[in-house]
Amino acid sequence: MSGELTTEARILEVASRLFYERGYEATSMRDLAEGVGIRAPSLYNHFADKQAILVRICLDTMREFHTGALECLAGMDNPAHRLRVLINWQVRFEASHPYTVRVADAQLTALDPVTRREVIEVRDAYEQLLTSILAEGGHQGHWRVEDPRVICMGIIGMCKINSWYRDGAALTPEQIGDRYATLILAALDASTRI
Amino acid sequence: MSGELTTEARILEVASRLFYERGYEATSMRDLAEGVGIRAPSLYNHFADKQAILVRICLDTMREFHTGALECLAGMDNPAHRLRVLINWQVRFEASHPYTVRVADAQLTALDPVTRREVIEVRDAYEQLLTSILAEGGHQGHWRVEDPRVICMGIIGMCKINSWYRDGAALTPEQIGDRYATLILAALDASTRI
DNA sequence: CCCCTAGACTAACAAGCGTTAGTTTGCATG
DNA sequence: CATGCAAACTAACGCTTGTTAGTCTAGGGG
C-alpha cells in the first residue's frame, strides 16, 4: 500500500480524476488499475463492479454537499444571511471537490437509473432549500423575487465555478463567493429601482 | 429517405440526441444507425468515422452561437444594452439548441485535442466579448465591476438554463433572459448601496 | 437502352471491454 | 511454527466495439 490511504480510497481518488478527465465509459478498468498501481482484477477485491465505483463517487459527493449546506444554515434565521452562507458554501465546495462534483453532474447519464434518481433527489432537495430561502425573503418584503425557482437556478448556475476556477486564481473561492453573494443580494434588494 | 431531411442531417440530429442522453462513448454506431433507420456501415457513406460526427456537432454549434452573438451586438454601443442583448441571446440559444449545446460542453473530453482546442477558442472568444462589455461599463462609471472575469463567468453560468429548462415551463426563454438581464443590471448599478 | 454512381446492404475482422476462475503471497493471530 | 484470510496475481472468457471489404440495387444522364 503506497502512501497512507487505503487501497479503496486510492481507487476512488484515481477514478474521480479519470472519470473527470475522460468520462466514465472512456475509462477502462485496466486504465484505472494502472493509475492505482495494481492489475484490473484486483479492483474487484474492493468494489463489486465498475458501476459501484461511480455510485460511490456520485452519492458520497452529493450527500456531503447537501448535509454540509444544512450544517452551514443551522441556527440562522435572516434570509439574507442564509442566502449568503449558502452561496459561499456552494462556491467553496465546487473549488474543494473539483473532480467529484463534475463527475456527479456530467456522468449522471452513466449512472444506473436507481442511483441516478437518488442523486437527483438530493439535488432537488438543495434546490428546494435555496428556493424556500428566496421565497421567504420575498414574503418578508426584503426582496423582489417574482419567480423564486428561476432565480434559484440562476444562482446555482452562477456558483458552478468548477468549470473554470483553478487553484492559484487571482481570487480565492471565499472571495468569489462573497462577490456573488453581494451581487445577488444587491440585485434582489426590493428598494433598488429597476 | 424518410421525411424531407438529407440522411446526413438526420444522422446529426439523432447523434445529437443520443450523445446528449448517453454520452459519446456510450453510443455505438449500431445504436446511432438504428435511430436513423439504416445499418451501421452505411453511416460511413456520410462521415469518415464516429469522431467526425461529434466534431461536426460541436464546431457547428459553437460557431453558430458565437456568430449569432456578434450579430446581436452589431451597431450597439451602450454597454447596458449590449449586456442585456447578450444575456438574452445566450438564454434563447440554450433553449433552442438543448441537445447540441450540452453535447458541445459535456462531451468536450471525447473530442480529439485539435478540435477541442478549436471549440475552446470559440468559447474563450465569447467570454472575452462579455468580459470587455463588463469592463467598458465599469470604465464609463456605470457599473461596479472589480473583477470583470469573475462576473463574466458568473453570468455565463447563470445563463446555462439548458440543464433545467424544458419546453412548456412557466416562463419562456425570452422572459427568463429578461429576468436575468434585469437582475444583473440592477446588481452592477454603481449607484446601489451594497 | 446502357452505364455509372450514390448509397444501401451483408459478412467479418481485430482490438478492447468488463468480468470470472483459480492461484499465489504475505502478514497477523493462535 | 502452523493457519487463515485479505488481497494481490495470471489466464482467459464471451461480448461489443469501430471499422473495412466487397456486393447489390435503384435512379438519372448520355
Side-chain angles (χ1 to χ4, degrees):
Chain A
M1 201 151 340
S2 92
E4 30 181 295
L5 281 66
T6 62
T7 306
E8 183 185 290
R10 297 187 56 236
I11 292 172
L12 289 171
E13 195 178 75
V14 175
S16 298
R17 206 191 68 238
L18 292 180
F19 292 170
Y20 169 88
E21 287 170 355
R22 320 178 184 178
Y24 174 76
E25 311 277 356
T27 303
S28 76
M29 293 297 267
R30 288 166 180 83
D31 292 339
L32 173 53
E34 192 186 12
V36 177
I38 58 179
R39 296 285 204 275
S42 300
L43 295 169
Y44 292 82
N45 287 322
H46 304 276
F47 292 92
D49 51 23
K50 190 186 180 188
Q51 175 72 206
I53 301 175
L54 182 64
V55 167
R56 267 289 296 277
I57 293 173
C58 294
L59 273 185
D60 283 5
T61 303
M62 291 303 291
R63 286 176 177 154
E64 186 185 343
F65 175 66
H66 186 237
T67 63
L70 293 177
E71 284 167 17
C72 283
L73 294 177
M76 284 207 162
D77 284 336
N78 185 323
H81 293 164
R82 286 166 70 84
L83 182 55
R84 179 174 286 278
V85 160
L86 209 51
I87 288 174
N88 239 288
W89 165 252
Q90 188 179 339
V91 170
R92 278 183 291 122
F93 194 86
E94 291 260 334
S96 61
H97 299 67
Y99 296 151
T100 57
V101 163
R102 176 119 176 115
V103 168
D105 182 54
Q107 306 300 320
L108 254 188
T109 62
L111 270 180
D112 71 280
V114 174
T115 314
R116 190 187 320 158
R117 182 70 56 101
E118 242 173 306
V119 168
I120 290 177
E121 272 170 19
V122 179
R123 197 187 65 186
D124 287 352
Y126 179 77
E127 292 171 8
Q128 194 51 45
L129 188 65
L130 178 49
T131 302
S132 71
I133 294 176
L134 293 168
E136 196 190 340
H139 289 143
Q140 294 185 5
H142 303 133
W143 298 336
R144 184 194 323 113
V145 271
E146 296 172 39
D147 305 278
R149 172 153 174 85
V150 172
I151 304 297
C152 162
M153 297 313 295
I155 293 174
I156 289 178
M158 168 176 277
C159 291
K160 286 188 175 168
I161 69 166
N162 165 69
S163 63
W164 60 273
Y165 178 82
R166 292 294 166 265
D167 283 334
L171 270 62
T172 66
E174 283 81 3
Q175 290 172 316
I176 296 174
D178 283 342
R179 292 275 202 286
Y180 286 165
T182 301
L183 183 131
I184 293 293
L185 287 169
L188 294 180
D189 196 309
S191 63
T192 309
R193 61 173 170 73
I194 306 194
Chain B
M1 202 155 338
S2 91
E4 29 181 294
L5 280 66
T6 62
T7 305
E8 183 185 290
R10 295 188 56 236
I11 292 172
L12 288 171
E13 194 177 76
V14 175
S16 298
R17 206 191 68 238
L18 292 180
F19 292 171
Y20 169 87
E21 287 171 355
R22 319 177 185 180
Y24 174 76
E25 311 278 356
T27 303
S28 75
M29 293 297 266
R30 288 165 180 84
D31 292 338
L32 173 52
E34 192 185 12
V36 177
I38 59 179
R39 295 285 205 275
S42 300
L43 294 169
Y44 291 82
N45 287 323
H46 303 275
F47 292 92
D49 51 22
K50 190 186 179 187
Q51 175 72 204
I53 301 175
L54 181 64
V55 167
R56 267 289 296 276
I57 293 173
C58 294
L59 273 185
D60 282 6
T61 303
M62 290 303 290
R63 285 174 177 154
E64 185 185 343
F65 175 66
H66 186 236
T67 65
L70 293 177
E71 285 168 15
C72 282
L73 294 176
M76 284 208 163
D77 284 336
N78 185 324
H81 293 163
R82 286 166 69 84
L83 182 55
R84 180 174 285 278
V85 160
L86 209 52
I87 288 175
N88 240 287
W89 165 251
Q90 186 178 340
V91 170
R92 277 184 291 120
F93 194 86
E94 292 261 334
S96 60
H97 299 66
Y99 296 151
T100 58
V101 163
R102 175 121 177 112
V103 169
D105 182 53
Q107 306 300 319
L108 253 188
T109 63
L111 270 180
D112 71 281
V114 174
T115 313
R116 192 187 320 160
R117 182 69 56 100
E118 243 173 304
V119 168
I120 290 177
E121 274 170 18
V122 179
R123 197 186 64 185
D124 287 351
Y126 179 77
E127 293 172 7
Q128 193 51 45
L129 188 65
L130 178 49
T131 302
S132 72
I133 294 175
L134 292 168
E136 196 189 341
H139 289 141
Q140 294 186 5
H142 304 133
W143 298 335
R144 184 194 324 115
V145 270
E146 296 172 40
D147 306 278
R149 171 152 175 84
V150 172
I151 305 297
C152 163
M153 297 313 295
I155 293 175
I156 289 178
M158 170 175 275
C159 291
K160 286 189 174 167
I161 68 167
N162 164 69
S163 63
W164 60 273
Y165 177 82
R166 293 292 167 266
D167 283 335
L171 270 62
T172 65
E174 284 81 1
Q175 291 173 315
I176 296 174
D178 284 342
R179 292 276 201 286
Y180 286 165
T182 302
L183 183 131
I184 293 292
L185 287 169
L188 294 180
D189 197 310
S191 64
T192 308
R193 61 173 171 74
I194 305 192

